[in-house]
Amino acid sequence: MSTTFQLDTSTSRANPTPQVMKRLTVPAIRARKKDGVTATPLVMLTAYTARQAQLLDAHCDILLVGDSLGQVIYGLPSTVPVTLEMMANHGAAVVRGSYHSVVVVDMPFGSYEASPEQAFESAAFLLKQTGAAAVKLEGGAVMAPTVAFLSQRGIPVMGHVGLTPQAVNVLGGYGARGRSDAEAEKIVSDAKALDEAGAFAIVIEGVVEPIAIAATQAVTCPTIGIGASAQCDGQVLVTEDMLGMFERVPRFVKRYEDIAGVIDRTVARYAEEVRSRAFPTEDQTYQPKA
Ligand code: KIV
């Protein structure tokens, strides 16, 4: 049965019918991997708006308010210019639109790298402003002290290793990582360092498959793959990519729909009906009461 939403005018919150399940928790996500095995892989998608969250929520375990919103929503050239305020605004919208999934908000570039204290201040701001349950940050062993600092102070952290898009200016592009022995070893040791520091889950992005599998087997917390392996403990995609909103499809994306095509055809019909005065009809106009 599909979910419908009723606007509660006193809270401005759209309440779902039927009432969806209770919201999952970070410990429940962490506990999905037991003795190295995740029986049912974790489902994670990006969400940036309340309506998008409403549509995705019941199907997902985790909604990620990714800093990919820089490119997807704002048309920026990379995630580097994304600000804490952007993440806070979109994070709050996604929390308002969801009832079931754990909402994780990305820490944007420049908001956490300088010190664990800087990271705590930024992460606390995001959790207070949004009501989200956790943050995600990019980087491996070098970020482990920050992950420990936050986790020990009440802020659950999702790690992110392999291809880390915020480091595009150092990496020189978005190619897959882990092709050399040194890079492969670093990805696995980065994942282990984050796991030991207390990360509740780790995104493994754009990594050659055997290394994604080795990293997954090396850590006790769930790994979530994107361009990694079906043997990760879960998967994430940018929702707009998998829905077919963009012409450019990265190799690791499966396009499940052609929403761009649906929008193009629908808007063409609307434009044609406006120009021919076929819209609006009597059904869409107000007439004086008889
Ligand atoms: O920002 C994002 O959307 C992400 C995912 C692609 C993992 O970090």
Side-chain angles (χ1 to χ4, degrees):
M1 191 194 310
S2 67
T3 308
T4 57
F5 291 87
Q6 192 81 41
L7 188 68
D8 175 346
T9 46
S10 60
T11 60
S12 297
R13 201 170 161 95
N15 292 314
T17 310
Q19 197 67 38
V20 289
M21 302 145 272
K22 248 180 87 182
R23 200 185 281 281
L24 288 167
T25 62
V26 167
I29 296 293
R30 173 70 182 74
R32 288 276 289 273
K33 185 167 178 175
K34 281 192 194 75
D35 303 325
V37 178
T38 302
T40 308
L42 290 158
V43 179
M44 176 160 121
L45 279 173
T46 59
Y48 314 121
T49 67
R51 182 58 182 148
Q52 192 180 28
Q54 288 171 352
L55 293 170
L56 306 179
D57 188 39
H59 303 285
C60 292
D61 301 302
I62 306 170
L63 291 178
L64 172 67
V65 188
D67 61 353
S68 50
L69 61 75
Q71 290 108 315
V72 176
I73 301 281
Y74 290 94
L76 293 167
S78 73
T79 56
V80 171
V82 171
T83 65
L84 265 180
E85 287 69 27
M86 287 178 187
M87 298 312 301
N89 289 338
H90 289 274
V94 169
V95 170
R96 283 195 291 270
S98 62
Y99 291 80
H100 165 64
S101 306
V102 167
V103 178
V104 179
V105 181
D106 253 338
M107 306 267 285
F109 177 70
S111 72
Y112 63 94
E113 301 88 334
S115 66
E117 288 78 7
Q118 183 209 22
F120 184 85
E121 200 175 314
S122 301
F125 172 79
L126 287 177
L127 295 198
K128 281 173 193 278
Q129 296 291 314
T130 64
V135 295
K136 175 167 83 58
L137 55 79
E138 296 184 7
V142 72
M143 294 313 301
T146 296
V147 171
F149 191 88
L150 298 187
S151 327
Q152 287 160 14
R153 287 164 178 77
I155 300 182
V157 183
M158 179 179 279
H160 185 153
V161 299
L163 171 60
T164 47
Q166 291 177 8
V168 62
N169 290 316
V170 172
L171 301 176
Y174 296 103
R177 318 297 300 167
R179 292 197 191 279
S180 71
D181 288 349
E183 231 174 61
E185 270 168 38
K186 182 170 179 333
I187 291 164
V188 176
S189 62
D190 278 345
K192 277 164 104 170
L194 296 176
D195 186 39
E196 281 157 19
F200 74 93
I202 301 171
V203 168
I204 301 181
E205 176 166 358
V207 164
V208 292
E209 182 165 35
I211 305 311
I213 296 171
T216 296
Q217 289 170 349
V219 298
T220 58
C221 70
T223 62
I224 302 183
I226 173 165
S229 170
Q231 290 190 48
C232 288
D233 302 297
Q235 299 296 323
V236 60
L237 282 176
V238 169
T239 299
E240 282 76 357
D241 280 342
M242 64 84 111
L243 289 178
M245 284 285 282
F246 298 111
E247 286 71 29
R248 193 186 151 271
V249 188
R251 178 182 157 72
F252 57 82
V253 170
K254 179 169 174 183
R255 248 170 156 242
Y256 285 81
E257 255 302 343
D258 174 27
I259 295 297
V262 171
I263 292 175
D264 186 52
R265 289 188 292 279
T266 309
V267 176
R269 269 176 50 215
Y270 167 74
E272 195 281 315
E273 290 193 6
V274 169
R275 291 186 180 116
S276 65
R277 298 193 195 282
F279 172 84
T281 68
E282 216 173 284
D283 286 347
Q284 292 100 24
T285 48
Y286 299 99
Q287 305 302 328
K289 286 213 168 73

